[in-house]
Amino acid sequence: MSYLLHIDSSSLDEASVSRQVAQSFRDVWQGEVVHRDLAAAPVPHLSAAGVTARVTDPGRHTPEQASAAALQDELIKEFLGAGAYLFTVPMYNLTMPSVFKAWLDQLIVFDRTVIHGGPSPAAGRPAVLISARGGAYGPGAPREGLDYVVPPLEAVLGRDELLGLDLTTVTPELTAAPHTPALASLLPKHEASMANAHDQARRLATAIGTPLAA
């Protein structure tokens, strides 16, 4: 059985709702896990050296290009070696933490993880995206349409012409309700959302892990 690659990006530790729900997944998961915590050890943002290294013969790399290429090689090898994925990506200011975007930019390299005219080497592998948010952004909510985390990530991670993962999204909502008096009336909805998120995470761990262990 290949491993689960768990990419964390929440700036908080045990107080992070995204991490708490991810832990429910991990508590059920029976296989090997490779965990990369981008908050504790962020990867650098993609630089000019990183971009140009991709189109320059390795024998002609500058020291900066060689270092950038080595990091990309490490991240791509780690990603492609996994059989399943768990992404912990909370909503910060309507979008994803910059450390996760930096990881994506290092990882997505055409003809290595994304293939022109064909499927990604990771296509079809199961993945779970957990994205907690302080408010609610679903249909009928006042902030409907302002979620710039889940739609972009479902495109990048899940579309066939990109990484093509078999992605399921879990979105615990209204996490600000316990700490915001103005949202006190929404506490029951928050609690229901949390219970559903934890339950969904455990069920997904079982559903994904069972066939991989066979």
Side-chain angles (χ1 to χ4, degrees):
M1 174 181 174
S2 56
Y3 54 82
L4 172 76
L5 177 60
H6 180 190
I7 303 294
D8 254 326
S9 63
S10 173
S11 297
L12 297 175
D13 292 323
E14 64 274 2
S16 163
V17 170
S18 295
R19 288 181 187 261
Q20 291 168 14
V21 175
Q23 189 59 52
S24 287
F25 183 104
R26 292 279 304 271
D27 287 345
V28 174
W29 184 262
Q30 296 297 311
E32 180 184 353
V33 177
V34 172
H35 181 212
R36 182 177 288 271
D37 189 336
L38 297 174
V43 300
H45 288 277
L46 188 62
S47 65
V51 174
T52 57
R54 299 174 179 182
V55 294
T56 301
D57 186 292
R60 302 182 63 185
H61 278 175
T62 65
E64 292 79 13
Q65 288 174 322
S67 177
L71 172 63
Q72 292 176 29
D73 289 344
E74 174 189 346
L75 297 176
I76 289 169
K77 181 179 179 181
E78 181 179 76
F79 178 78
L80 293 180
Y85 306 89
L86 176 62
F87 304 110
T88 310
V89 191
M91 177 185 284
Y92 289 168
N93 300 315
L94 304 182
T95 190
M96 71 191 77
S98 64
V99 291
F100 192 81
K101 182 61 165 60
W103 176 81
L104 273 179
D105 289 343
Q106 297 283 5
L107 177 77
I108 295 177
V109 179
F110 284 101
D111 296 324
R112 296 189 68 186
T113 53
V114 175
I115 308 299
H116 285 293
S120 164
R125 298 179 190 176
V128 175
L129 167 64
I130 297 173
S131 180
R133 55 276 318 284
Y137 297 83
R143 294 189 175 185
E144 179 182 358
L146 293 180
D147 182 350
Y148 300 106
V149 183
V150 169
L153 288 183
E154 287 184 337
V156 173
L157 299 172
R159 288 185 66 91
D160 289 342
E161 65 270 31
L162 294 171
L163 292 177
L165 302 178
D166 182 9
L167 185 69
T168 302
T169 302
V170 180
T171 52
E173 293 191 323
L174 297 166
T175 62
H179 318 290
T180 308
L183 299 178
S185 63
L186 297 175
L187 268 172
K189 289 186 176 182
H190 160 67
E191 292 166 355
S193 178
M194 286 294 297
N196 179 67
H198 283 285
D199 180 63
Q200 191 177 2
R202 287 187 286 264
R203 287 188 285 107
L204 285 166
T206 299
I208 293 170
T210 299
L212 286 180

